[in-house]
Amino acid sequence: MKHVERVIASRKQKVKAVVPVHLYGHPVDLDPILDLAKRHGLLVLEDCCQAHGAKYKGKRVGSMGTASAFSFYPSKNLTVFGMVACW
């Protein structure tokens, strides 16, 4: 997280969002990311393309950020077209 905060602080152009990537069915540790986003006024765009159905502290991935993306491409866990979810 310290690295991410340094990047945010060093950017001349304002950072707008953080994109945590839930990978191989394993959710990202979202608490520090959500806290960081709240402190800096950033959006959290969850990439859930390879973590369909995964849970983080009892909640489904894709339900905690500002928006989330799911992919159903043939190389992913589920194969269809795609989906974006906004809360």
Side-chain angles (χ1 to χ4, degrees):
M1 275 325 334
K2 289 180 182 181
H3 175 71
V4 175
E5 293 205 55
R6 279 196 305 266
V7 169
I8 291 169
S10 70
R11 290 289 188 215
K12 292 181 180 179
Q13 294 180 349
K14 186 172 168 126
V15 174
K16 306 280 187 203
V18 177
V19 183
V21 179
H22 307 292
L23 196 56
Y24 307 121
H26 300 286
V28 171
D29 184 10
L30 281 173
D31 287 340
I33 293 170
L34 294 171
D35 179 55
L36 174 98
K38 186 175 181 178
R39 284 186 284 121
H40 293 279
L42 303 173
L43 301 174
V44 176
L45 309 175
E46 293 181 73
D47 179 340
C48 308
C49 295
Q50 292 199 16
H52 300 94
K55 290 185 179 180
Y56 176 76
K57 296 188 176 180
K59 293 183 177 182
R60 298 271 184 203
V61 296
S63 68
M64 293 163 274
T66 309
S68 56
F70 295 83
S71 173
F72 303 103
Y73 189 73
S75 67
K76 305 297 182 186
N77 299 347
L78 296 174
T79 56
V80 188
F81 289 107
M83 171 178 76
V84 173
C86 298
W87 306 106

